[in-house]
DNA sequence: TAATTATGAAATAAATTTTCATTATTCTCG
DNA sequence: CGAGAATAATGAAAATTTATTTCATAATTA
């Protein structure tokens, strides 16, 4: 925990003199980090040893160490945090808030990912005869993106955002096929059914969803991506971006696993697009 | 600027001994903040006054002050930077790198966005009779996502990722229509044509693309999103995520502009999905 | 009122900075 | 090119500043 919060938190447990220092620190931490122990003691009208004891009480090694902690708390001024858009925000404000929330959620998502599961997913994907990506609504976008990426790998890959097509495709799957089912909540009935059908037909089912959800239960491998609830404006926002980053991770793992030759191929795919583009003049 | 970056930046301008300290600091800044000036001097095989002079050179008041700055630099974690995936990275490593690069690029994109342009775009979008989103390849995913969002607003909205459909749609556009054309490079010939056609037919064309690109020249409004080049593995990665965040911003701006009543409507749309979902037990 | 805890003055210790002499480097001019 | 003056860089030691410990006293609690 941030040392400033800690001070605020333990304010009641301090002795009279300690509280005096605490208050001085809380009221202008920015000044304190440049003050000597003598200056701070004077400002708080207490003695230097008391300041020193105060520092130790907060699990620091002494005054200089305490200042270090304090400086770090202050530096963390604006870590990326989920900040909610407000009715009266200007364009500048809501733009910042959305970007920050997105970053905060990516950070969260990153922490929640398990490298072992990613490794296993990559294993499975590299060995697949055919890869299918299924999603609905916002998750359809993620599936669509996955198609775009994996399509370049010259692997049979399909993507459906239509319930019926998904069902039919799932029913027709067979051993060696991999089905990636994407749903943030993991509670969309038809998708859960699709996952279950694919599994019954011997496909390996990878779920990009919340751990413990009904969908997760139907999957062989669950890639769970934690993000804060998408409360803003009732639209999925951060969750899909975290999922997209995960797709990038899987695609990257795939190419790394396939080796150098394979990556030269990728370059060819990219170059093949050149003629459809205006040349760069620089 | 972060003092660590500053040290790295000015490395050439240092004297021999100063460079020694600099290197020790850069290689393990976390240790240094807990070291005394004597310890650091010894570690770098130089004298204490040299360390002191080094600190002053970096515009700090002395060694303790320098440590404070250093601590603050460290507090911000490792600021998100573009780190490229390496051949031999483990799953853990490439996952981290991809997430970090993504966040770094979001930060970049955020800085490059102009609130005025966003405001104008939102103005135009809220007044549109019909909104079209066009993109190809990776940008089709972004257009797809935009459809998903704007569809909820109960506005006529379409999305095409097919060149011919895009052309036809563009030709049929009329005054009051808004066409949003998405392309990171802004050099895809057919999309530039589509933009130009739409403009000729009196639609307002908003481009989500790089400033100064051929596409940008055909647009009435250019929302330029700067990101570092997508060099990794020859696939668009960061650019599309920045674009998606921008779509979030536009959608948010849209709902804010439309007012409270409108947002209640959104909630209804969301609630209408409930029956297709498994209930949450908690 | 005794026991405990909190506090500060003074002494000590530690760390940092300054001073200054020495050494290394760069520049100038023959 | 090279000697030597000028300048800059460096470190040893002293001085100073800062932090910590010790211990006696005051305040609080039991």
């Amino acid at each position: 925990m941030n040392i400033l919060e800690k001070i605020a938190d333990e304010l009641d447990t301090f002795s009279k003199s300690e509280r005096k220092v605490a208050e001085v620190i809380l009221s202008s931490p920015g000044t304190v980090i440049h003050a000597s122990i003598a200056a701070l003691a004077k400002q708080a009208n207490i003695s230097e040893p008391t300041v020193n004891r105060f520092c130790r009480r907060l699990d620091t090694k002494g005054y200089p160490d305490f200042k270090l902690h304090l400086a770090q708390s202050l530096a963390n001024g604006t870590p990326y945090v989920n900040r909610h858009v407000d009715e009266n925000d200007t364009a500048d404000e809501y733009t910042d808030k959305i970007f920050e929330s997105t970053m905060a959620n990516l950070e969260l998502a990153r922490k929640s990912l398990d490298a072992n599961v990613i490794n296993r997913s990559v294993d499975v994907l590299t060995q697949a005869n055919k890869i299918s990506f299924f999603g609905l609504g916002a998750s359809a976008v993620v599936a669509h993106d996955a198609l775009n990426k994996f399509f370049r790998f010259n692997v049979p890959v399909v993507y459906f955002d239509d319930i019926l097509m998904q069902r039919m495709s799932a029913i027709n799957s067979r051993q060696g096929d991999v089905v990636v089912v994407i749903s943030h909540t993991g509670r969309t009935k038809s998708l859960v059914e699709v996952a279950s059908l694919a599994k019954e037909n011997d496909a390996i089912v990878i779920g990009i969803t919340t751990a413990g959800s009904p969908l997760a239960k139907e999957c062989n491998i669950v890639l769970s991506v934690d993000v804060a609830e998408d409360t803003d404006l009732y639209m999925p926002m951060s969750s899909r971006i975290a999922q997209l980053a995960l797709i990038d991770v899987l695609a990257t793992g795939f190419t790394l696993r396939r080796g150098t030759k394979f990556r030269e191929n990728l370059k060819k795919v990219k170059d093949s697009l050149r003629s459809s583009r205006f040349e760069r003049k620089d």
Side-chain angles (χ1 to χ4, degrees), chain A:
Chain A
M1 180 166 43
N2 181 312
I3 199 149
L4 268 174
E5 293 169 33
K6 196 169 172 183
I7 295 172
D9 207 55
E10 298 186 12
L11 207 58
D12 320 323
T13 75
F14 293 145
S15 73
K16 217 186 321 175
S17 306
E18 283 170 338
R19 194 156 328 144
K20 284 192 207 163
V21 215
E23 267 152 22
V24 171
I25 294 168
L26 288 175
S27 73
S28 62
T31 319
V32 172
I33 57 170
H34 294 117
S36 69
I37 190 167
L40 176 57
K42 197 171 167 196
Q43 172 130 51
N45 263 305
I46 50 142
S47 72
E48 298 170 32
T50 302
V51 175
N52 191 275
R53 283 187 284 260
F54 172 84
C55 297
R56 296 229 170 103
R57 222 163 165 318
L58 287 139
D59 301 316
T60 65
K61 292 177 68 179
Y63 184 67
D65 189 43
F66 170 79
K67 286 209 292 186
L68 243 44
H69 282 267
L70 195 57
Q72 294 190 319
S73 304
L74 291 179
N76 272 330
T78 345
Y80 301 124
V81 192
N82 265 291
R83 291 194 298 154
H84 289 250
V85 172
D86 176 90
E87 182 93 40
N88 304 309
D89 280 347
T90 64
D92 239 341
E93 287 165 342
Y94 64 73
T95 303
D96 275 3
K97 284 182 181 175
I98 289 171
F99 272 84
E100 280 191 13
S101 301
T102 305
M103 289 187 269
N105 277 306
L106 279 171
E107 182 67 51
L108 257 180
R110 165 168 77 155
K111 283 187 190 141
S112 74
L113 281 173
D114 179 342
N116 293 319
V117 180
I118 288 174
N119 242 328
R120 240 177 347 121
S121 304
V122 172
D123 275 344
V124 164
L125 287 169
T126 44
Q127 280 154 42
N129 291 328
K130 184 179 128 188
I131 306 176
S132 314
F133 291 100
F134 298 156
L136 294 171
S139 299
V141 173
V142 179
H144 186 173
D145 185 68
L147 173 80
N148 255 295
K149 291 245 148 55
F150 281 81
F151 172 76
R152 294 169 187 242
F153 299 160
N154 202 17
V155 186
V157 50
V158 296
Y159 137 71
F160 295 115
D161 61 355
D162 173 295
I163 301 181
L164 290 178
M165 297 293 276
Q166 290 174 354
R167 283 186 78 96
M168 289 190 282
S169 178
I171 289 169
N172 286 327
S173 60
R174 58 180 64 178
Q175 181 126 37
D177 289 357
V178 176
V179 175
V180 182
V181 185
I182 306 165
S183 162
H184 174 50
T185 61
R187 310 186 161 276
T188 310
K189 286 176 188 166
S190 61
L191 264 186
V192 178
E193 282 167 32
V194 165
S196 152
L197 284 171
K199 201 169 155 198
E200 276 169 30
N201 287 279
D202 301 319
I204 297 181
V205 179
I206 300 179
I208 297 183
T209 184
T210 299
S213 64
L215 174 57
K217 294 197 180 91
E218 299 298 326
C219 298
N220 301 102
I221 301 178
V222 178
L223 282 162
S224 67
V225 185
D226 290 356
V227 291
E229 284 269 348
D230 282 317
T231 51
D232 282 85
L233 301 169
Y234 317 110
M235 287 186 290
M237 308 226 293
S238 310
S239 59
R240 79 191 193 306
I241 287 193
Q243 289 169 347
L244 285 168
L246 175 56
I247 296 293
D248 287 348
V249 169
L250 293 178
T252 303
F254 193 101
T255 56
L256 290 182
R257 196 67 59 87
R258 284 287 180 95
T260 322
K261 277 245 177 70
F262 178 70
R263 285 198 293 286
E264 280 162 16
N265 247 37
L266 273 183
K267 188 156 170 15
K268 278 191 211 147
V269 173
K270 193 187 182 190
D271 292 344
S272 75
L273 293 172
R274 188 161 299 162
S275 69
S276 70
R277 297 235 157 98
F278 286 112
E279 283 299 320
R280 242 213 185 91
K281 280 144 215 157
D282 51 27

